[in-house]
Amino acid sequence: QYFDRINNELKYLVGAEWSQGAASSLRYFSSDETFRDQNAQVFGNLDWSPLTDLSFNLGGSFEYNTYGGELFSPRLAMNYKLDPHSVVRLSAGQAYRHPSMLESYANESLIFEGKVLDTGLRSLAQVSPERVRHVDLAYLMQIPEWKLDFDVRVFLEKYDRFIDDETCYFTGIGASLQPCPFPPPGNFPAVGDSVDYLLNQGGVSTRGLEGRFDWRQDWGRIVGSVTLVNIFDVENFTDRDAIKSAPEAAGHLMLIKYLPERWRFSLGYYYQGSMMWLNDGDQLKPRNLFNAKLSRAFGDPGADNEFAITALSLSGDYPEFNETKLRQESLLFATLRLGF
């Protein structure tokens, strides 16, 4: 990327990025073929400050993806400085998520002696990229004498073309209720077995409020956040639980204590309100989680070297997706990070 200033009012940034991935899997693609994913992107950003306290930011990216095609994502923001330590920001934009390799070519099969015994996830046709459009208004404030940063924002977001999977049946009673829109593979002996196929669902619209604070002191740091979300509209979504698929409230509070000899202790509290998992998941109750981490930095200050011991879910195991079948277990593990 390249950055430059045209004059005192205008500055810009331009850049480009390219990446490629490759994968092969007899199980997930039912083929020995190697599938490739290329992504190319050019992006730019123009910052204009006509007044000392007012600035406009116009940016966008144009990208090409093997599975998503050509897409343009624009963004626009306005920042107004109320005083040296507070800013109001209004922004809007549009972004995409390309289908993954699996979402584009899935043809999962269990094969034995040349016969298909069972099928899993299948991609019938190329799914379209997911899209999100957003508008948000934010207020950012600093109180230097307290060493406190604070910001709050209200937002409106609309998600379209959500990539999901549907269950259908080839034969049996299920076929009369949810028949597959495609024939079963050859030599398929199973009766009444189901298959999950990928498709684009409709969209959901959300609105909410988000707040965050960061209080820094010589002895340590306290960071917290709270998010309130409301899904107020659902369009062309076959899963009736979509309207309840986001927790109405979530937040966290983290205490970081600096210790001698570059040791540091962190204790985090996390809250998530009740929500309904999509695709036949359960309604999960509100939960409270506690995580802890003890770490020590070493080497040069800029090397980012660290040894750490982390404990996840001190409050015990908790359910995910299904109240009785799937649970996240408490974990205790050590990590070593070396920077070069």
Side-chain angles (χ1 to χ4, degrees):
Q1 62 183 31
Y2 176 76
F3 169 82
D4 197 5
R5 182 183 294 273
I6 300 174
N7 52 42
N8 292 332
E9 297 180 358
L10 285 172
K11 55 185 177 181
Y12 69 92
L13 179 146
V14 293
E17 180 180 331
W18 179 86
S19 63
Q20 177 176 282
S24 61
S25 173
L26 185 60
R27 172 180 174 179
Y28 291 107
F29 301 128
S30 296
S31 169
D32 293 327
E33 182 181 352
T34 297
F35 294 90
R36 302 186 185 279
D37 175 11
Q38 293 191 24
N39 189 79
Q41 181 186 65
V42 292
F43 55 89
N45 194 77
L46 179 66
D47 192 80
W48 177 42
S49 302
L51 301 173
T52 303
D53 298 328
L54 178 66
S55 66
F56 295 92
N57 186 278
L58 176 63
S61 64
F62 178 80
E63 57 186 318
Y64 168 80
N65 180 270
T66 304
Y67 310 122
E70 298 177 352
L71 297 171
F72 177 66
S73 301
R75 57 184 178 274
L76 175 66
M78 181 196 72
N79 296 276
Y80 182 72
K81 188 181 294 185
L82 301 175
D83 57 54
H85 303 296
S86 62
V87 175
V88 174
R89 181 186 66 208
L90 176 65
S91 62
Q94 177 174 280
Y96 295 89
R97 186 186 76 82
H98 292 291
S100 67
M101 196 178 297
L102 181 64
E103 290 169 337
S104 300
Y105 289 108
N107 189 13
E108 188 177 4
S109 300
L110 177 62
I111 303 173
F112 180 71
E113 294 182 349
K115 293 185 178 181
V116 178
L117 302 183
D118 198 4
T119 59
L121 193 64
R122 295 194 68 185
S123 179
L124 299 180
Q126 183 63 54
V127 289
S128 301
E130 294 178 342
R131 179 179 62 185
V132 59
R133 289 171 284 182
H134 70 89
V135 177
D136 64 77
L137 176 65
Y139 173 71
L140 300 87
M141 178 183 65
Q142 292 180 329
I143 306 178
E145 57 270 25
W146 293 359
K147 298 181 181 179
L148 175 67
D149 294 346
F150 171 81
D151 63 74
V152 61
R153 75 180 185 106
V154 291
F155 59 87
L156 179 67
E157 298 173 342
K158 181 174 176 58
Y159 298 86
D160 295 309
R161 307 194 298 236
F162 182 77
I163 298 176
D164 197 11
D165 59 85
E166 284 284 311
T167 301
C168 67
Y169 296 84
F170 290 124
T171 57
I173 297 177
S176 62
L177 302 175
Q178 293 177 283
C180 291
F182 52 89
N187 300 323
F188 186 74
V191 177
D193 273 28
S194 63
V195 62
D196 298 324
Y197 66 97
L198 289 155
L199 76 164
N200 286 108
Q201 294 272 17
V204 296
S205 298
T206 66
R207 57 194 169 200
L209 179 145
E210 187 175 71
R212 183 194 66 88
F213 76 89
D214 187 348
W215 185 43
R216 303 168 185 263
Q217 295 295 311
D218 295 336
W219 52 263
R221 182 178 173 189
I222 299 179
V223 181
S225 70
V226 62
T227 303
L228 305 177
V229 178
N230 171 241
I231 300 178
F232 66 91
D233 188 33
V234 175
E235 300 176 357
N236 301 320
F237 226 102
T238 57
D239 196 324
R240 292 174 296 178
D241 295 329
I243 194 73
K244 310 172 189 174
S245 61
E248 292 185 353
H252 89 287
L253 183 65
M254 179 174 289
L255 169 65
I256 302 172
K257 180 68 173 70
Y258 301 143
L259 302 173
E261 302 296 328
R262 301 176 70 182
W263 284 91
R264 179 158 61 175
F265 175 74
S266 304
L267 178 64
Y269 164 71
Y270 303 86
Y271 171 79
Q272 179 178 295
S274 62
M275 61 170 287
M276 181 70 75
W277 277 92
L278 297 178
N279 297 326
D280 300 321
D282 287 342
Q283 180 173 359
L284 299 185
K285 300 174 183 177
R287 65 174 177 229
N288 302 277
L289 300 177
F290 290 91
N291 298 335
K293 178 180 176 181
L294 180 64
S295 63
R296 185 183 188 278
F298 60 93
D300 295 334
D304 204 23
N305 299 328
E306 181 190 76
F307 168 75
I309 299 175
T310 303
L312 298 182
S313 188
L314 296 174
S315 47
D317 300 348
Y318 60 92
E320 285 281 22
F321 182 73
N322 187 289
E323 187 75 32
T324 58
K325 295 180 180 179
L326 298 175
R327 306 187 76 80
Q328 289 284 354
E329 297 181 342
S330 300
L331 291 176
L332 178 66
F333 58 92
T335 57
L336 176 65
R337 184 176 65 205
L338 299 175
F340 300 95

